[in-house]
Amino acid sequence: MSDDNRTLESSAHVETHIEMSARKKVLRLGRLLGLASEADYQPANATVLDRAHMRQRKQLEQYQRNLEAIYAMTLSYTPSDVTGAELDADWIHQFFAMAETIHNHTMQDLWARILASEIVQPGNFSLRTLETLTKLTLKEAHILEKALGMAARLNHESRLKLISGYRLSGGIGHYFRKQSHVNLGLSNFGMPYSNLLTLVDAGLLHRGEFETGLLAPKSAVELHFPHSTITLKPKSGHLLFNYYRLSPVGEELAALVAPKIDDAYLSAMRALFAKDFSIS
């Protein structure tokens, strides 16, 4: 028995059923490097080159498993009654080269849905989006889900906006207020500024807040959320929205990532905006 295996066995006596010791986790990483005994392979008797070949073999086996998992999921998402399109050879080559490194099951599911979508209607997902996706962590994906559940499309616009509040830009009423900005407080709904920065760093959100143009007084503005619509009518001609905007990559992924709806955010918007908007 190798020293590694003996250490693994001794570690098992001190670990709990729920958590694995840090040392055992490191020893498990050693298996990926070809440093653990397997069948007729003994790392102590192998050369450095042999161990490198073992590491490469393990990596290739894992990459193949990743691709096969994504492929199987893609089949389940691909309709049989829709004519498929021929994918660009360079795009599919880059897709597989990137997808093979995706180990997490949830993220593999996202890659499978992208491939299925491209086969039905190519051109929706750029190579830049795929490159960003290779670096996207599960935590970042969850933050994106949260942001999408709070984002809306204004009237017939195609781009999503994460509305953070509104501002009174002038008029008589402006002089009778301590603050012209009305802030929704996104942090109260699980979207602190640190999460916004995470999306910015991931290439999914533009940095900084934006403002709409002045909203026409008493003209309806429809905010289309994932499962509901709020109609606002400004009571004056001096109001505008503050919002965060998804990047082009974020917009592409928004077509596939299921939004995590936040009804509390919508309720707070209705209550807070009632002072300066008629709401229905």
Side-chain angles (χ1 to χ4, degrees), residues 133-150:
L133 198 55
T134 61
K135 302 178 180 68
L136 191 68
T137 66
L138 189 58
K139 177 184 177 181
E140 291 165 345
H142 286 323
I143 295 175
L144 179 60
E145 288 177 349
K146 180 69 173 175
L148 293 178
M150 300 163 66

Side-chain angles (χ1 to χ4, degrees), residues 3-46:
D3 291 338
D4 284 349
N5 286 339
R6 281 195 293 269
T7 306
L8 287 173
E9 287 187 0
S10 62
S11 299
H13 294 294
V14 296
E15 72 183 41
T16 67
H17 291 294
I18 300 175
E19 296 182 354
M20 183 185 299
S21 71
R23 180 172 175 79
K24 187 169 182 179
K25 289 181 179 179
V26 173
L27 289 171
R28 287 182 63 186
L29 291 178
R31 295 176 182 174
L32 300 177
L33 300 177
L35 299 178
S37 300
E38 292 184 23
D40 58 350
Y41 172 77
Q42 298 291 329
N45 300 328

Side-chain angles (χ1 to χ4, degrees), residues 168 170-180 275:
L168 186 66
I172 297 297
H174 177 78
Y175 297 101
F176 296 95
R177 295 196 181 191
K178 293 182 180 180
Q179 293 184 339
S180 60
K275 181 175 182 180

Side-chain angles (χ1 to χ4, degrees), residues 29-254:
L29 291 178
R31 295 176 182 174
L32 300 177
L33 300 177
L35 299 178
S37 300
E38 292 184 23
D40 58 350
Y41 172 77
Q42 298 291 329
N45 300 328
T47 66
V48 172
L49 184 59
D50 291 335
R51 293 195 291 271
H53 287 160
M54 173 61 76
R55 176 180 61 82
Q56 290 175 336
R57 194 192 81 182
K58 284 184 167 296
Q59 185 181 69
L60 289 174
E61 288 176 347
Q62 183 59 58
Y63 283 178
Q64 184 65 22
R65 282 194 291 268
N66 293 343
L67 288 178
E68 290 180 8
I70 292 171
Y71 178 77
M73 286 185 242
T74 301
L75 281 176
S76 68
Y77 290 130
T78 306
S80 58
D81 57 347
V82 176
T83 302
E86 291 297 329
L87 294 175
D88 178 78
D90 290 331
W91 188 93
I92 195 62
H93 173 78
Q94 292 295 328
F95 178 92
F96 286 140
M98 297 181 202
E100 69 179 8
T101 65
I102 306 303
H103 296 69
N104 181 274
H105 177 80
T106 301
M107 300 305 291
Q108 287 175 348
D109 181 78
L110 183 58
W111 280 79
R113 283 185 280 144
I114 286 177
L115 182 54
S117 175
E118 284 293 303
I119 290 173
V120 173
Q121 186 177 358
N124 291 320
F125 298 94
S126 64
L127 291 176
R128 180 176 297 177
T129 294
L130 297 183
E131 186 176 357
T132 299
L133 198 55
T134 61
K135 302 178 180 68
L136 191 68
T137 66
L138 189 58
K139 177 184 177 181
E140 291 165 345
H142 286 323
I143 295 175
L144 179 60
E145 288 177 349
K146 180 69 173 175
L148 293 178
M150 300 163 66
R153 289 183 170 85
L154 271 64
N155 295 326
H156 302 294
E157 294 181 3
S158 59
R159 292 191 175 277
L160 287 164
K161 290 179 170 60
L162 177 57
I163 296 176
S164 56
Y166 68 91
R167 182 168 70 87
L168 186 66
S169 66
I172 297 297
H174 177 78
Y175 297 101
F176 296 95
R177 295 196 181 191
K178 293 182 180 180
Q179 293 184 339
S180 60
H181 286 81
V182 176
N183 196 330
L184 266 169
L186 297 181
S187 60
N188 296 327
F189 309 99
M191 190 56 63
Y193 190 63
S194 59
N195 280 4
L196 295 173
L197 289 180
T198 296
L199 294 179
V200 170
D201 292 339
L204 303 177
L205 194 74
H206 287 291
R207 187 178 296 274
E209 279 186 298
F210 294 83
E211 290 184 339
T212 63
L214 289 175
L215 304 172
K218 299 182 180 179
S219 294
V221 179
E222 292 184 340
L223 302 182
H224 299 285
F225 292 93
H227 298 305
S228 62
T229 297
I230 296 178
T231 301
L232 307 174
K233 289 184 179 180
K235 295 179 181 179
S236 77
H238 304 282
L239 297 168
L240 46 83
F241 292 131
N242 301 108
Y243 66 94
Y244 293 94
R245 189 174 72 193
L246 291 177
S247 70
V249 172
E251 289 283 353
E252 289 186 16
L253 292 181

Side-chain angles (χ1 to χ4, degrees), residues 259-276:
K260 187 176 181 181
I261 309 302
D262 194 324
D263 292 328
Y265 168 78
L266 301 184
S267 297
M269 175 179 286
R270 288 178 179 274
L272 198 63
F273 284 26
K275 181 175 182 180
D276 292 297

